[in-house]
Structure formats: structure tokens, C-alpha cells
Amino acid sequence: MKDYRVLLFYKYVAIPDAEAFAAEHLQYCKDLGIKGRILIASEGINGTLSGTVEQTERYMADMHSHPLFEDLFFKVDDSDGHAFKKLFVRHKKELVTLRYDQKLDPNTDGGGRLSPVEFQQYLQRDDVIVLDGRSGYEYDLGHFRNAIRPDLDSFREFPGWLRDNMEQHKDKTILTYCTGGIRCEMLTAVMRKEGFEDVYQLDGGIVTYGKDPVTQGRLFDGSCYVFDERISVPINHTDENVVVGTCYHCGQPSENYINCADDTCHRQHLCCDACQAEYEGYCSEECRQHDSASPAAAR
């Protein structure tokens, strides 16, 4: 058993005086010694954190003792150490930035929930559309087979993207998925508001799917992008998994995400070991030249 754990969790629930709760929760997390990123809004909580087994057990127990979070579901991963360098606990207007022009309650407006086993069964049907509810760079590292790749960089682009790209599928059965489930709670709510009727979400997201003893992550290819120091986690635990990520430079298979060495660019891109060495961590020759011409490089 490893000494550390990573927790992933969220819940849409009304939190009175969410800003004050966020300040209190920040101090609690500091006292406990955990690290991670926790967002708190009047509509609920969304977080991922790391700590020792003892710290994470204490965090889960304390949260479950709170009347608002007594049924909060935690996805738990063993870890060799902290998956985060710092602690951020912040108050936000929205847990998932959407800025939609209609009020949504994912607890009542969202699509139907499918367990991992049910989702896998639906995936094997010929009459369904599978939509990735994440950003394009997450899809590029790993995704469910035959899923549609959304060509967008942020979640708030989804309403416009749906209108431009999915109108012809309004009469179809549509499956959605994301990392832990929270984005698809909101995405399916938006889709129903936009006139998509037969919409479903993978309950618990990709992470839960990969841990299910029946599905074993089958039909998901590549790895799942995560927003911590690990960068990615394996999902498909069968011998059917294939690498789907390709190097930004040469197109060879790669699951190694790096940021461009030019701090004014910092483009996150997949890069094989050979190209990382050849291009010295830059995404382009322009970035390499820009960096070499900077005042900092001249000193």
C-alpha cells in the first residue's frame, strides 16, 4: 500500500455564504496539511487533493460529518507522494465556468446517468453518438473509441460549439463523458436546454469507469489527462489498450505532455523523447528564437 492518496470529488449543493465557507475551508486544509485545488461556489464544491493516507482519511471523515456533504462521493487513487505542489481553495461564481444565458440546475436538468457497465453496453450500440465533454487536448491523450472530439479550448465554448456542430444529431441517443463527471453534469443540462432530448452522462466519469471491475476500462484508448503533477492516469487495464496520442512534431505515438520552454508561449503539447531533445522543449523554431533573443537569455 502506498503512503499517499489523491482524492477527486464534487457535489452540486447549495452552500450558504459560500465565500465565508471557502475561507474557513482553506484554513482547515492548511491545518490538515493537504495540497490540491478546491473550488467552492454557492452551487457546490469541486476538488482534487493529495495527502497521506491518514490526512485523506481525516478529510473524508470530516466532510462526511458535515450535513451538506454526508453523501459526498470520493474517487480515491493511491500515490507515491503529493500530486500537487501547492494548496488552492477558492471561491468562484461557477464550479465549471460556463456563463450560459439560462439558469441551470444539474441535479434536475441534466441527462440520464449511466453506470460504467451500462455505459459500456451503450458504447457497443450502432445507433448512439459519443461526445467527449472535455477540451481537445484532453481528448488527444485518450478517449473512448469513436467519440467526437470537441474542437475547443475551454468549457464555456460548448454551447456555441453544440449549435454549430451537433444540430444534425438532436434526434439521436447521445452519450457524454468527462474526467470525473462534473462537466457532463452541466453539459447534459445545456444540451437538454438546447433541444437534445435523449442525452446521457457517464456517472463518475472516466476515472470511475477505469476502476470498475467489470469494464476494466475497456473501449477507452490512451490515457486520461488529469490536472495535477501526474498529468495522466491509465484507464484501460486490458490488453486492448492502444496509445492514441501523437507527437506534435513528428506524429509518432506519444503520451508525454510538456509545456513549451518559451514562457511567453507555454503551449502544452505531446512530444516524444527524441523530439523533446531535438527541439529542446520548444514547440516551434519561432519560440526557440524568441527565447534566445529575450533579455533574460542575454544575461
Side-chain angles (χ1 to χ4, degrees), residues 123 129-132 139 143-150 177:
L123 285 174
I129 300 293
V130 186
L131 174 62
D132 196 306
Y139 176 100
H143 53 264
F144 283 103
R145 292 175 195 172
N146 302 316
I148 294 174
R149 180 190 188 277
Y177 66 89

Side-chain angles (χ1 to χ4, degrees), residues 24-34 38 59 87 89:
E24 294 170 2
H25 201 68
L26 171 60
Q27 188 58 55
Y28 162 77
C29 291
K30 286 181 176 179
D31 294 341
L32 187 56
I34 57 176
I38 302 172
Y59 184 87
L87 169 68
V89 180

Side-chain angles (χ1 to χ4, degrees), residues 258-269 280-284 286-292 294 296-297 299:
I258 65 171
N259 291 313
C260 178
D262 180 0
D263 287 338
T264 64
C265 172
H266 218 54
R267 177 199 293 269
Q268 189 175 58
H269 59 290
E280 299 177 329
Y282 293 99
C283 72
S284 66
E286 290 77 11
C287 283
R288 191 198 324 242
Q289 292 177 1
H290 174 270
D291 220 19
S292 64
S294 68
R299 289 199 294 268

